[in-house]
PDB file of all heavy atoms in Angstrom:
ATOM      1  N   THR A  49      -0.045  17.450  -6.145  1.00 45.00           N
ATOM      2  CA  THR A  49       0.804  18.504  -6.951  1.00 45.00           C
ATOM      3  C   THR A  49       1.589  19.421  -6.028  1.00 45.00           C
ATOM      4  O   THR A  49       2.613  19.949  -6.338  1.00 45.00           O
ATOM      5  CB  THR A  49      -0.088  19.426  -7.874  1.00 45.00           C
ATOM      6  OG1 THR A  49      -1.053  20.005  -7.063  1.00 45.00           O
ATOM      7  CG2 THR A  49      -0.716  18.500  -8.959  1.00 45.00           C
ATOM      8  N   VAL A  50       1.116  19.578  -4.773  1.00 48.00           N
ATOM      9  CA  VAL A  50       1.775  20.390  -3.802  1.00 48.00           C
ATOM     10  C   VAL A  50       1.777  19.599  -2.444  1.00 48.00           C
ATOM     11  O   VAL A  50       0.767  18.911  -2.132  1.00 48.00           O
ATOM     12  CB  VAL A  50       1.151  21.711  -3.542  1.00 48.00           C
ATOM     13  CG1 VAL A  50       1.838  22.561  -2.527  1.00 48.00           C
ATOM     14  CG2 VAL A  50       1.078  22.501  -4.892  1.00 48.00           C
ATOM     15  N   THR A  51       2.837  19.622  -1.701  1.00 48.00           N
ATOM     16  CA  THR A  51       2.977  18.792  -0.467  1.00 48.00           C
ATOM     17  C   THR A  51       1.926  19.495   0.622  1.00 48.00           C
ATOM     18  O   THR A  51       1.557  20.695   0.344  1.00 48.00           O
ATOM     19  CB  THR A  51       4.404  18.848   0.134  1.00 48.00           C
ATOM     20  OG1 THR A  51       4.743  20.226   0.311  1.00 48.00           O
ATOM     21  CG2 THR A  51       5.296  18.191  -0.855  1.00 48.00           C
ATOM     22  N   SER A  52       1.956  18.806   1.627  1.00 51.00           N
ATOM     23  CA  SER A  52       1.012  19.336   2.809  1.00 51.00           C
ATOM     24  C   SER A  52       1.692  20.585   3.310  1.00 51.00           C
ATOM     25  O   SER A  52       2.914  20.725   3.432  1.00 51.00           O
ATOM     26  CB  SER A  52       0.923  18.238   3.855  1.00 51.00           C
ATOM     27  OG  SER A  52       2.093  18.025   4.340  1.00 51.00           O
ATOM     28  N   PRO A  53       0.869  21.532   3.878  1.00 54.00           N
ATOM     29  CA  PRO A  53       1.546  22.673   4.354  1.00 54.00           C
ATOM     30  C   PRO A  53       2.384  22.458   5.575  1.00 54.00           C
ATOM     31  O   PRO A  53       3.258  23.209   5.835  1.00 54.00           O
ATOM     32  CB  PRO A  53       0.243  23.486   4.894  1.00 54.00           C
ATOM     33  CG  PRO A  53      -0.934  22.907   4.169  1.00 54.00           C
ATOM     34  CD  PRO A  53      -0.567  21.497   3.799  1.00 54.00           C
ATOM     35  N   SER A  54       2.133  21.358   6.250  1.00 73.00           N
ATOM     36  CA  SER A  54       2.980  21.113   7.473  1.00 73.00           C
ATOM     37  C   SER A  54       4.488  20.936   7.018  1.00 73.00           C
ATOM     38  O   SER A  54       5.288  21.476   7.816  1.00 73.00           O
ATOM     39  CB  SER A  54       2.533  19.873   8.155  1.00 73.00           C
ATOM     40  OG  SER A  54       2.678  18.751   7.345  1.00 73.00           O
ATOM     41  N   MET A  55       4.818  20.398   5.977  1.00 81.00           N
ATOM     42  CA  MET A  55       6.194  20.353   5.565  1.00 81.00           C
ATOM     43  C   MET A  55       6.799  21.677   5.249  1.00 81.00           C
ATOM     44  O   MET A  55       7.875  22.060   5.655  1.00 81.00           O
ATOM     45  CB  MET A  55       6.384  19.402   4.402  1.00 81.00           C
ATOM     46  CG  MET A  55       7.779  19.254   3.813  1.00 81.00           C
ATOM     47  SD  MET A  55       8.934  18.670   5.158  1.00 81.00           S
ATOM     48  CE  MET A  55      10.393  18.603   4.040  1.00 81.00           C
ATOM     49  N   GLU A  56       5.990  22.505   4.613  1.00 86.00           N
ATOM     50  CA  GLU A  56       6.445  23.829   4.231  1.00 86.00           C
ATOM     51  C   GLU A  56       6.527  24.725   5.426  1.00 86.00           C
ATOM     52  O   GLU A  56       7.566  25.422   5.575  1.00 86.00           O
ATOM     53  CB  GLU A  56       5.489  24.429   3.253  1.00 86.00           C
ATOM     54  CG  GLU A  56       5.471  23.865   1.839  1.00 86.00           C
ATOM     55  CD  GLU A  56       4.416  24.353   0.872  1.00 86.00           C
ATOM     56  OE1 GLU A  56       3.424  24.987   1.409  1.00 86.00           O
ATOM     57  OE2 GLU A  56       4.510  24.030  -0.256  1.00 86.00           O
ATOM     58  N   GLU A  57       5.611  24.558   6.338  1.00 89.00           N
ATOM     59  CA  GLU A  57       5.641  25.395   7.554  1.00 89.00           C
ATOM     60  C   GLU A  57       6.854  24.937   8.348  1.00 89.00           C
ATOM     61  O   GLU A  57       7.668  25.839   9.016  1.00 89.00           O
ATOM     62  CB  GLU A  57       4.411  25.175   8.403  1.00 89.00           C
ATOM     63  CG  GLU A  57       3.272  25.869   7.803  1.00 89.00           C
ATOM     64  CD  GLU A  57       1.908  25.498   8.428  1.00 89.00           C
ATOM     65  OE1 GLU A  57       1.958  24.794   9.499  1.00 89.00           O
ATOM     66  OE2 GLU A  57       0.830  25.937   8.021  1.00 89.00           O
ATOM     67  N   ARG A  58       7.186  23.688   8.582  1.00 89.00           N
ATOM     68  CA  ARG A  58       8.326  23.176   9.301  1.00 89.00           C
ATOM     69  C   ARG A  58       9.576  23.705   8.593  1.00 89.00           C
ATOM     70  O   ARG A  58      10.560  24.089   9.293  1.00 89.00           O
ATOM     71  CB  ARG A  58       8.347  21.660   9.367  1.00 89.00           C
ATOM     72  CG  ARG A  58       7.270  21.121  10.310  1.00 89.00           C
ATOM     73  CD  ARG A  58       7.105  19.676  10.367  1.00 89.00           C
ATOM     74  NE  ARG A  58       8.266  18.906   9.841  1.00 89.00           N
ATOM     75  CZ  ARG A  58       8.202  17.775   9.531  1.00 89.00           C
ATOM     76  NH1 ARG A  58       7.147  17.142   9.472  1.00 89.00           N
ATOM     77  NH2 ARG A  58       9.339  17.021   9.171  1.00 89.00           N
ATOM     78  N   LEU A  59       9.643  23.653   7.279  1.00 90.00           N
ATOM     79  CA  LEU A  59      10.812  24.169   6.564  1.00 90.00           C
ATOM     80  C   LEU A  59      10.991  25.618   6.877  1.00 90.00           C
ATOM     81  O   LEU A  59      12.091  26.174   7.103  1.00 90.00           O
ATOM     82  CB  LEU A  59      10.643  23.917   5.072  1.00 90.00           C
ATOM     83  CG  LEU A  59      11.923  23.878   4.211  1.00 90.00           C
ATOM     84  CD1 LEU A  59      12.998  23.036   4.842  1.00 90.00           C
ATOM     85  CD2 LEU A  59      11.553  23.491   2.795  1.00 90.00           C
ATOM     86  N   CYS A  60       9.960  26.476   6.853  1.00 91.00           N
ATOM     87  CA  CYS A  60       9.983  27.840   7.122  1.00 91.00           C
ATOM     88  C   CYS A  60      10.527  28.135   8.492  1.00 91.00           C
ATOM     89  O   CYS A  60      11.409  29.080   8.752  1.00 91.00           O
ATOM     90  CB  CYS A  60       8.675  28.554   6.959  1.00 91.00           C
ATOM     91  SG  CYS A  60       8.030  28.856   5.260  1.00 91.00           S
ATOM     92  N   ASP A  61       9.992  27.415   9.474  1.00 91.00           N
ATOM     93  CA  ASP A  61      10.468  27.574  10.909  1.00 91.00           C
ATOM     94  C   ASP A  61      11.937  27.323  11.034  1.00 91.00           C
ATOM     95  O   ASP A  61      12.648  28.049  11.647  1.00 91.00           O
ATOM     96  CB  ASP A  61       9.706  26.616  11.859  1.00 91.00           C
ATOM     97  CG  ASP A  61       8.185  26.980  11.961  1.00 91.00           C
ATOM     98  OD1 ASP A  61       7.815  28.187  11.501  1.00 91.00           O
ATOM     99  OD2 ASP A  61       7.386  26.144  12.344  1.00 91.00           O
ATOM    100  N   ILE A  62      12.464  26.284  10.400  1.00 91.00           N
ATOM    101  CA  ILE A  62      13.816  25.988  10.566  1.00 91.00           C
ATOM    102  C   ILE A  62      14.738  26.950   9.799  1.00 91.00           C
ATOM    103  O   ILE A  62      15.858  27.354  10.147  1.00 91.00           O
ATOM    104  CB  ILE A  62      14.150  24.494  10.189  1.00 91.00           C
ATOM    105  CG1 ILE A  62      15.498  24.023  10.770  1.00 91.00           C
ATOM    106  CG2 ILE A  62      14.185  24.236   8.746  1.00 91.00           C
ATOM    107  CD1 ILE A  62      15.447  23.882  12.322  1.00 91.00           C
ATOM    108  N   LEU A  63      14.270  27.397   8.613  1.00 92.00           N
ATOM    109  CA  LEU A  63      15.104  28.259   7.750  1.00 92.00           C
ATOM    110  C   LEU A  63      15.163  29.669   8.421  1.00 92.00           C
ATOM    111  O   LEU A  63      16.212  30.450   8.298  1.00 92.00           O
ATOM    112  CB  LEU A  63      14.534  28.445   6.390  1.00 92.00           C
ATOM    113  CG  LEU A  63      14.759  27.158   5.472  1.00 92.00           C
ATOM    114  CD1 LEU A  63      14.094  27.320   4.118  1.00 92.00           C
ATOM    115  CD2 LEU A  63      16.081  26.709   5.367  1.00 92.00           C
ATOM    116  N   GLN A  64      14.142  30.036   9.192  1.00 92.00           N
ATOM    117  CA  GLN A  64      14.197  31.390   9.901  1.00 92.00           C
ATOM    118  C   GLN A  64      15.235  31.430  11.085  1.00 92.00           C
ATOM    119  O   GLN A  64      15.569  32.432  11.474  1.00 92.00           O
ATOM    120  CB  GLN A  64      12.803  31.718  10.387  1.00 92.00           C
ATOM    121  CG  GLN A  64      11.836  32.130   9.327  1.00 92.00           C
ATOM    122  CD  GLN A  64      10.422  32.347   9.855  1.00 92.00           C
ATOM    123  OE1 GLN A  64      10.197  32.477  11.105  1.00 92.00           O
ATOM    124  NE2 GLN A  64       9.495  32.675   8.968  1.00 92.00           N
ATOM    125  N   GLN A  65      15.687  30.203  11.385  1.00 92.00           N
ATOM    126  CA  GLN A  65      16.738  30.100  12.446  1.00 92.00           C
ATOM    127  C   GLN A  65      18.113  30.437  11.972  1.00 92.00           C
ATOM    128  O   GLN A  65      19.087  30.661  12.648  1.00 92.00           O
ATOM    129  CB  GLN A  65      16.668  28.745  13.077  1.00 92.00           C
ATOM    130  CG  GLN A  65      15.396  28.313  13.646  1.00 92.00           C
ATOM    131  CD  GLN A  65      14.911  29.418  14.737  1.00 92.00           C
ATOM    132  OE1 GLN A  65      15.678  29.728  15.598  1.00 92.00           O
ATOM    133  NE2 GLN A  65      13.664  29.785  14.651  1.00 92.00           N
ATOM    134  N   ILE A  66      18.258  30.494  10.568  1.00 91.00           N
ATOM    135  CA  ILE A  66      19.595  30.721   9.936  1.00 91.00           C
ATOM    136  C   ILE A  66      19.784  32.307  10.156  1.00 91.00           C
ATOM    137  O   ILE A  66      19.028  33.094   9.821  1.00 91.00           O
ATOM    138  CB  ILE A  66      19.642  30.483   8.414  1.00 91.00           C
ATOM    139  CG1 ILE A  66      19.400  28.823   8.283  1.00 91.00           C
ATOM    140  CG2 ILE A  66      20.827  30.812   7.706  1.00 91.00           C
ATOM    141  CD1 ILE A  66      19.231  28.420   6.868  1.00 91.00           C
ATOM    142  N   ARG A  67      21.111  32.616  10.576  1.00 92.00           N
ATOM    143  CA  ARG A  67      21.493  33.880  10.908  1.00 92.00           C
ATOM    144  C   ARG A  67      21.404  34.763   9.546  1.00 92.00           C
ATOM    145  O   ARG A  67      21.906  34.388   8.561  1.00 92.00           O
ATOM    146  CB  ARG A  67      22.956  33.969  11.376  1.00 92.00           C
ATOM    147  CG  ARG A  67      23.448  35.377  11.770  1.00 92.00           C
ATOM    148  CD  ARG A  67      24.842  35.392  12.226  1.00 92.00           C
ATOM    149  NE  ARG A  67      25.092  34.446  13.310  1.00 92.00           N
ATOM    150  CZ  ARG A  67      25.070  34.773  14.578  1.00 92.00           C
ATOM    151  NH1 ARG A  67      24.799  35.941  14.977  1.00 92.00           N
ATOM    152  NH2 ARG A  67      25.350  33.843  15.525  1.00 92.00           N
ATOM    153  N   GLY A  68      20.737  35.885   9.672  1.00 91.00           N
ATOM    154  CA  GLY A  68      20.522  36.780   8.573  1.00 91.00           C
ATOM    155  C   GLY A  68      19.424  36.507   7.524  1.00 91.00           C
ATOM    156  O   GLY A  68      19.211  37.162   6.633  1.00 91.00           O
ATOM    157  N   ALA A  69      18.675  35.398   7.817  1.00 91.00           N
ATOM    158  CA  ALA A  69      17.634  35.019   6.923  1.00 91.00           C
ATOM    159  C   ALA A  69      16.444  35.935   7.000  1.00 91.00           C
ATOM    160  O   ALA A  69      15.842  36.302   6.070  1.00 91.00           O
ATOM    161  CB  ALA A  69      17.264  33.438   7.064  1.00 91.00           C
ATOM    162  N   GLY A  70      16.085  36.187   8.241  1.00 91.00           N
ATOM    163  CA  GLY A  70      14.956  37.066   8.487  1.00 91.00           C
ATOM    164  C   GLY A  70      13.668  36.295   8.246  1.00 91.00           C
ATOM    165  O   GLY A  70      13.646  35.074   8.456  1.00 91.00           O
ATOM    166  N   LEU A  71      12.571  36.865   7.830  1.00 93.00           N
ATOM    167  CA  LEU A  71      11.301  36.226   7.570  1.00 93.00           C
ATOM    168  C   LEU A  71      11.498  35.419   6.264  1.00 93.00           C
ATOM    169  O   LEU A  71      12.000  35.818   5.192  1.00 93.00           O
ATOM    170  CB  LEU A  71      10.198  37.262   7.359  1.00 93.00           C
ATOM    171  CG  LEU A  71       8.775  36.721   7.087  1.00 93.00           C
ATOM    172  CD1 LEU A  71       8.354  35.992   8.373  1.00 93.00           C
ATOM    173  CD2 LEU A  71       7.870  37.880   6.825  1.00 93.00           C
ATOM    174  N   VAL A  72      11.006  34.146   6.357  1.00 93.00           N
ATOM    175  CA  VAL A  72      11.120  33.172   5.240  1.00 93.00           C
ATOM    176  C   VAL A  72       9.732  32.538   4.851  1.00 93.00           C
ATOM    177  O   VAL A  72       8.889  32.253   5.720  1.00 93.00           O
ATOM    178  CB  VAL A  72      12.093  32.032   5.570  1.00 93.00           C
ATOM    179  CG1 VAL A  72      12.144  31.040   4.573  1.00 93.00           C
ATOM    180  CG2 VAL A  72      13.460  32.551   5.942  1.00 93.00           C
ATOM    181  N   ARG A  73       9.577  32.494   3.510  1.00 92.00           N
ATOM    182  CA  ARG A  73       8.382  31.786   3.092  1.00 92.00           C
ATOM    183  C   ARG A  73       8.901  30.609   2.011  1.00 92.00           C
ATOM    184  O   ARG A  73       9.816  30.928   1.390  1.00 92.00           O
ATOM    185  CB  ARG A  73       7.444  32.711   2.256  1.00 92.00           C
ATOM    186  CG  ARG A  73       6.884  33.840   3.073  1.00 92.00           C
ATOM    187  CD  ARG A  73       5.759  33.414   3.926  1.00 92.00           C
ATOM    188  NE  ARG A  73       4.752  32.734   3.137  1.00 92.00           N
ATOM    189  CZ  ARG A  73       3.527  33.010   3.063  1.00 92.00           C
ATOM    190  NH1 ARG A  73       2.959  33.951   3.829  1.00 92.00           N
ATOM    191  NH2 ARG A  73       2.652  32.335   2.302  1.00 92.00           N
ATOM    192  N   VAL A  74       8.251  29.409   2.122  1.00 92.00           N
ATOM    193  CA  VAL A  74       8.735  28.410   1.288  1.00 92.00           C
ATOM    194  C   VAL A  74       7.567  27.783   0.534  1.00 92.00           C
ATOM    195  O   VAL A  74       6.480  27.637   1.074  1.00 92.00           O
ATOM    196  CB  VAL A  74       9.436  27.307   2.069  1.00 92.00           C
ATOM    197  CG1 VAL A  74       9.747  26.151   1.239  1.00 92.00           C
ATOM    198  CG2 VAL A  74      10.620  27.825   2.878  1.00 92.00           C
ATOM    199  N   MET A  75       7.790  27.429  -0.710  1.00 90.00           N
ATOM    200  CA  MET A  75       6.781  26.723  -1.448  1.00 90.00           C
ATOM    201  C   MET A  75       7.461  25.475  -2.156  1.00 90.00           C
ATOM    202  O   MET A  75       8.538  25.645  -2.785  1.00 90.00           O
ATOM    203  CB  MET A  75       6.170  27.528  -2.659  1.00 90.00           C
ATOM    204  CG  MET A  75       5.189  26.816  -3.415  1.00 90.00           C
ATOM    205  SD  MET A  75       4.378  27.897  -4.650  1.00 90.00           S
ATOM    206  CE  MET A  75       3.352  26.781  -5.526  1.00 90.00           C
ATOM    207  N   LEU A  76       6.994  24.250  -1.918  1.00 89.00           N
ATOM    208  CA  LEU A  76       7.484  23.070  -2.501  1.00 89.00           C
ATOM    209  C   LEU A  76       6.518  22.536  -3.484  1.00 89.00           C
ATOM    210  O   LEU A  76       5.291  22.520  -3.256  1.00 89.00           O
ATOM    211  CB  LEU A  76       7.769  22.102  -1.439  1.00 89.00           C
ATOM    212  CG  LEU A  76       8.832  22.416  -0.329  1.00 89.00           C
ATOM    213  CD1 LEU A  76       8.735  21.437   0.773  1.00 89.00           C
ATOM    214  CD2 LEU A  76      10.173  22.514  -0.933  1.00 89.00           C
ATOM    215  N   THR A  77       6.957  21.874  -4.575  1.00 87.00           N
ATOM    216  CA  THR A  77       6.219  21.157  -5.400  1.00 87.00           C
ATOM    217  C   THR A  77       6.745  19.730  -5.505  1.00 87.00           C
ATOM    218  O   THR A  77       7.940  19.496  -5.348  1.00 87.00           O
ATOM    219  CB  THR A  77       6.062  21.717  -6.825  1.00 87.00           C
ATOM    220  OG1 THR A  77       7.497  21.808  -7.349  1.00 87.00           O
ATOM    221  CG2 THR A  77       5.468  23.100  -6.853  1.00 87.00           C
ATOM    222  N   VAL A  78       5.863  18.821  -5.877  1.00 80.00           N
ATOM    223  CA  VAL A  78       6.348  17.412  -5.869  1.00 80.00           C
ATOM    224  C   VAL A  78       6.053  16.860  -7.256  1.00 80.00           C
ATOM    225  O   VAL A  78       5.147  17.184  -7.859  1.00 80.00           O
ATOM    226  CB  VAL A  78       5.726  16.509  -4.775  1.00 80.00           C
ATOM    227  CG1 VAL A  78       6.003  16.903  -3.324  1.00 80.00           C
ATOM    228  CG2 VAL A  78       4.206  16.556  -4.908  1.00 80.00           C
ATOM    229  N   ALA A  79       6.934  15.857  -7.623  1.00 79.00           N
ATOM    230  CA  ALA A  79       6.767  15.171  -8.949  1.00 79.00           C
ATOM    231  C   ALA A  79       5.692  14.112  -8.823  1.00 79.00           C
ATOM    232  O   ALA A  79       4.918  14.050  -9.687  1.00 79.00           O
ATOM    233  CB  ALA A  79       8.152  14.511  -9.321  1.00 79.00           C
ATOM    234  N   ASN A  80       5.683  13.524  -7.724  1.00 76.00           N
ATOM    235  CA  ASN A  80       4.531  12.548  -7.520  1.00 76.00           C
ATOM    236  C   ASN A  80       4.432  12.378  -5.933  1.00 76.00           C
ATOM    237  O   ASN A  80       5.281  12.681  -5.188  1.00 76.00           O
ATOM    238  CB  ASN A  80       4.884  11.160  -8.048  1.00 76.00           C
ATOM    239  CG  ASN A  80       6.175  10.594  -7.617  1.00 76.00           C
ATOM    240  OD1 ASN A  80       7.007  11.246  -6.967  1.00 76.00           O
ATOM    241  ND2 ASN A  80       6.465   9.288  -8.023  1.00 76.00           N
TER     242      ASN A  80
END
Side-chain angles (χ1 to χ4, degrees):
T49 55
V50 178
T51 61
S52 63
S54 63
M55 177 61 178
E56 291 173 347
E57 289 173 4
R58 290 177 18 201
L59 198 54
C60 283
D61 290 341
I62 199 69
L63 292 178
Q64 286 179 5
Q65 302 303 314
I66 295 174
R67 182 183 308 266
L71 185 62
V72 176
R73 301 281 308 231
V74 177
M75 180 176 175
L76 296 172
T77 58
V78 292
N80 55 353

